[in-house]
Amino acid sequence: MTQLTAAPAAPAPVATRARRASAPAWLHTAWPPLVVFGIILVAWSVASAMLGDRSFLLPAPYRIFTDGLFDPITGPEILEALGQTTLVAFIGLAIAVVLGIGWAVVMLQAKWAERSLYPYAVILQCIPILALVPLIGFWFGYGLPGRIIVCVLISLFPMVSNTLFGLQSVDKSQKELFQLQHAGRWTTLRKLQLPAALPSIFVGLRTSAGLSIVGAIVGDYFFRRGTPGLGSLMSAYTSRLLAAELYASVVVAALLGVAIFVGFGLLSRLVVGRWYDATKA
């Protein structure tokens, strides 16, 4: 009788321990970068103090907030530039996504198409974008269109390469099953290849999202007409030797890139998380 009554009670402590173990699971992901961030701040502060009179070259971390983000003049200026940079980055990213997926789909249709077009995607990735920036300014002007084109050129290749990889990685047996059902090329693309390629597409999307921020800042750094973005502010702060304000704009740009990367990572989990472990991407 003792064994019969004790057996049902055994799973309860196990479940309790499992809940306790899984409750702080997010800490295992959060604490390592936080520790590294703390070490960086300490090293930064020590290096700034050791510079003495030349500490303006590397201002203490707190000055990024006092002289930059929380300054009544500099703070709103950086936030307005952040909005402009975000606008350019998202427009450029949207264009890069459409062009990249379309480019990959065209190359998927035949080997000769891939051999003909893929080298140009590689060439586009290898060309120093700074060499093209003056030409883009001559052709498209120095306003918003020129900045968007720079953004597209920088962020396009990851979408092309990752989408093509995903489309070509469909299981062979599944493709044969569609062929047995006499499914057309576009039916196979829509119902098999594109859904199967979604994890790879989101990998390219997260990579291109970060590069779109770089492209928006680079374009704005050289095209200084219209509403200024973070690139224009960085150029102005550099010319006036305003180190704290410059570091503040750099930190804001980095946080924007991290936020976009994390946002698309969460979107990836929502879209493909039910049938694919997005962390493997």
Side-chain angles (χ1 to χ4, degrees), residues 38-52 55 58-62:
I39 294 174
I40 292 174
L41 287 182
V42 172
W44 187 343
S45 301
V46 172
S48 178
M50 291 177 62
L51 288 174
S55 61
L58 184 66
Y62 73 88

Side-chain angles (χ1 to χ4, degrees), residues 55-141:
S55 61
F56 65 91
L57 298 174
L58 184 66
Y62 73 88
R63 290 189 56 196
I64 293 177
F65 299 95
T66 58
D67 298 346
L69 298 178
F70 296 152
D71 184 83
I73 297 178
T74 306
E77 187 178 51
I78 292 178
L79 291 179
E80 183 180 0
L82 174 64
Q84 178 68 14
T85 298
T86 304
L87 174 64
V88 173
F90 271 98
I91 295 176
L93 178 62
I95 296 174
V97 168
V98 174
L99 291 179
I101 295 177
W103 195 335
V105 169
V106 171
M107 290 190 293
L108 180 70
Q109 304 309 308
K111 281 294 182 182
W112 65 264
E114 180 182 353
R115 289 193 295 266
S116 301
L117 297 177
Y118 195 77
Y120 292 98
V122 177
I123 291 173
L124 185 64
Q125 176 71 9
C126 296
I127 293 177
I129 194 64
L130 295 182
L132 295 179
V133 166
L135 298 177
I136 294 172
F138 295 154
W139 295 335
F140 302 99

Side-chain angles (χ1 to χ4, degrees), residues 159 197-207 264-265 267-268 271-272 281:
M159 286 303 308
L198 279 177
S200 296
I201 291 175
F202 273 103
V203 172
L205 184 59
R206 293 202 298 270
T207 306
F264 281 114
L267 181 61
S268 173
V271 174
V272 301

Side-chain angles (χ1 to χ4, degrees), residues 84-85 87-89 91 140-151 223 225-227:
Q84 178 68 14
T85 298
L87 174 64
V88 173
I91 295 176
F140 302 99
Y142 296 91
L144 186 64
R147 301 177 189 181
I148 292 175
I149 291 173
V150 172
C151 185
F223 303 155
R225 297 183 184 177
T227 305

Side-chain angles (χ1 to χ4, degrees), residues 148-160:
I148 292 175
I149 291 173
V150 172
C151 185
V152 172
L153 293 178
I154 290 180
S155 59
L156 180 59
F157 181 77
M159 286 303 308
V160 176

